[in-house]
Amino acid sequence: MTKQPLGAQISHMLKDRGVDTIFGIPGVHNVELYRGIEQAGITHVLARHEQGAGFMADGYARASGKPGVAYVISGPGLTNILTPLGQAYSDSVPVLAISSCLDETSALRGQLHQMRDQRAAADAVCAWSEEARDAASAYALIDRALNEFASTRARPVHMQVPIQTLGALADPAPQPLKRRPTYPAARHDDVYAAVAAVLAARKPLIVFGGGARGAADVIPDLLRQTGAASMVTYAGRGLVPGDAPLYFGSALARPDCAKIAAEADLVIVVGSALSDVDLWRPTLGHTAPMIRVDIDPACFDRLSPQDTAILADAGEFLRAMTIAIPARTEDQPAKWDAAQVARQRAAWRAEIDAERPGLLPVCDALKAVLPDDTMIYSDMTQFAYAAKEVWDMPRPGHWHHPFGFGTLGYAMPAAIGGAVARPGLPTLAIAGDYGLQYTLQELGTAVELGLSLPILVWDNGKLGEIEDSMVRSQIAPNAVVARNPDFLALANAYGALAVQPDTLEAMQDAVLQAFDAPVPTVIRVTPDITG
């Protein structure tokens, strides 16, 4: 290739490195980034707001396993995408945001889209935020991002390029590496030490996080080999079969889960940070030694002297364990009681049903009809809060939720990105009536793309979770009821389909029909559906 403006060369570089889709919004300050998109053969998805573009890139990354890429303008374009970048940081999602920036800000004032320090603003929610002032720097930063995505804990990153630099002629980017760096592999000594520890334990407990997805196919064998009880984080749902006899489910946040952890004489945590939003308490509750396996050294910060830290890819570590470990013999039975586990799970389900009356029947009805390969994106809504504790996923990595940062408005645009990444496969968005309105305008993008996307809206006419929190705190509920629009009419106005089922059976039919519809379908569900 000959020289072209750097903005065009960036698109060609991304294409050469496997990027096939970019989410974003063009503007006068980043128009040069758009010069090479079609030329490079990249699909561009036009969002209605940069926040939507960021969530789409996030959803695309989670569904495809590839980085999500977004183009935004300087100033408000970047600030609008900061919330999605913060969410991607909390949930370890590889998102690359590329923005333009002003050429000079120290001596000139009052420029269009001017900020005091745009780079630093993005740095607050990203692994890093850097400015590329020439082509070589831009190429180096893009490769740095892609290499880190492939070999370390995924975090979003931001690169900004001055407007004049984007328009300046530049040579093509260098050829990509033949092989990118990979996650660290476990040492043989670490694997065999873990095997010896789990065989010596009588009541081992393994906690699987989302980082263990690479070993989903061997985890059932590992649990049989070790006789270990298991739990999963919300992000780890689907890693353990729901009918596994010693599976406690995704109930880490239940207060009495700490008592279960205290029964173990060895705890192994694989691919999870065990963050505050996993536990909602300071510690897991164990007193036994713990083995932590993770690719992020920061996960080892709070280990005690009796614990073991293993820096390794969780999936490969578990695979190595299943090869190295012999089956537990009959004279070394594990002491976990399957009947106790079943009783505990039933008790937790009853607690959730009492805390959130009327929701579990809706969850059960929806789960009963969804194809096993359905990918679900949920928002911060009571429906999702209940489901993530009782819904055993048939496979891992198929329910995505804005954990950690906990933003509203995530579900629908992220589901759009997920549907773009998995054409022809079922994708479902679940949002509350309030959260949906944060990014409702992205329905236009879904219609433009012709996505067969059911968007289930749990409409209780209020901020139900906040109201409950106020009541528990003995505060008179205040500012928790808002006038909702006619969601069905709004959907029709965008060109989408819309339906309000009045029975659980009708809801099931509506969702299945939406998977085959030529445009998205908004399905409004109210608490009245359960009578």
Side-chain angles (χ1 to χ4, degrees), residues 168-206:
L169 292 179
D171 289 321
Q175 290 298 305
L177 294 175
K178 292 183 179 180
R179 183 177 180 183
R180 290 201 175 277
T182 58
Y183 296 128
R187 299 183 307 150
H188 286 256
D189 289 351
D190 288 334
V191 173
Y192 284 103
V195 167
V198 76
L199 289 180
R202 302 303 298 273
K203 297 188 77 172
L205 172 65
I206 305 179

Side-chain angles (χ1 to χ4, degrees), residues 18-353:
V19 174
D20 53 27
T21 305
I22 291 172
F23 304 88
I25 301 177
V28 293
H29 280 185
N30 73 344
V31 67
E32 285 295 341
L33 283 170
Y34 284 76
R35 184 185 296 276
I37 289 179
E38 291 188 7
Q39 188 183 69
I42 293 176
T43 297
H44 181 270
V45 176
L46 176 63
R48 298 305 192 263
H49 189 285
E50 287 88 359
Q51 186 176 75
F55 287 142
M56 290 176 197
D58 174 296
Y60 176 91
R62 299 193 199 210
S64 67
K66 301 190 297 184
V69 180
Y71 283 175
V72 297
I73 61 166
S74 53
L78 179 69
T79 57
N80 284 341
I81 204 174
L82 292 185
T83 294
L85 293 176
Q87 189 60 63
Y89 188 94
S90 290
D91 289 349
S92 304
V93 182
V95 174
L96 169 61
I98 300 178
S99 77
S100 56
C101 66
L102 296 176
D103 299 298
E104 203 286 322
T105 58
S106 60
L108 293 177
R109 297 288 186 272
Q111 300 178 82
L112 179 66
H113 302 333
Q114 186 163 9
M115 294 177 62
R116 291 180 61 197
D117 194 336
Q118 177 177 295
R119 185 209 60 78
D123 198 48
V125 291
C126 291
W128 49 263
S129 173
E130 301 289 355
E131 181 173 332
R133 298 184 181 181
D134 54 43
S137 299
Y139 301 152
L141 287 173
I142 290 172
D143 272 335
R144 173 186 170 188
L146 298 179
N147 288 336
E148 289 178 4
F149 291 158
S151 60
T152 63
R153 183 177 183 181
R155 302 287 203 185
V157 300
H158 165 249
M159 180 186 82
Q160 63 184 32
V161 187
I163 297 167
Q164 289 187 7
T165 305
L166 282 174
L169 292 179
D171 289 321
Q175 290 298 305
L177 294 175
K178 292 183 179 180
R179 183 177 180 183
R180 290 201 175 277
T182 58
Y183 296 128
R187 299 183 307 150
H188 286 256
D189 289 351
D190 288 334
V191 173
Y192 284 103
V195 167
V198 76
L199 289 180
R202 302 303 298 273
K203 297 188 77 172
L205 172 65
I206 305 179
V207 179
F208 299 100
R213 291 174 190 164
D217 57 328
V218 302
I219 286 174
D221 289 337
L222 178 65
L223 293 175
R224 283 191 293 269
Q225 289 171 318
T226 62
S230 61
M231 299 178 179
V232 297
T233 65
Y234 298 136
R237 286 186 299 151
L239 285 170
V240 180
D243 59 356
L246 299 178
Y247 176 47
F248 282 101
S250 53
L252 285 168
R254 291 279 122 191
D256 52 353
C257 182
K259 298 177 182 178
I260 304 298
E263 293 184 34
D265 58 357
L266 174 70
V267 176
I268 303 177
V269 180
V270 191
S272 172
L274 282 189
S275 65
D276 184 67
V277 294
D278 289 317
L279 303 176
W280 295 105
R281 58 181 180 275
T283 67
L284 181 62
H286 65 292
T287 58
M290 175 184 282
I291 298 174
R292 293 289 295 269
V293 183
D294 210 281
I295 58 171
D296 184 1
C299 292
F300 308 143
D301 288 350
R302 297 185 181 181
L303 294 184
S304 67
Q306 66 176 346
D307 297 334
T308 301
I310 299 176
L311 185 68
D313 173 49
E316 290 305 310
F317 176 84
L318 292 172
R319 288 184 178 280
M321 277 194 72
T322 60
I323 295 171
I325 194 167
R328 185 180 286 270
T329 62
E330 291 185 3
D331 62 340
Q332 294 178 308
K335 289 189 175 180
W336 291 107
D337 181 0
Q340 174 203 2
V341 174
R343 287 193 300 270
Q344 184 61 74
R345 293 203 67 183
W348 283 333
R349 180 182 172 90
E351 286 180 9
I352 297 163
D353 196 25

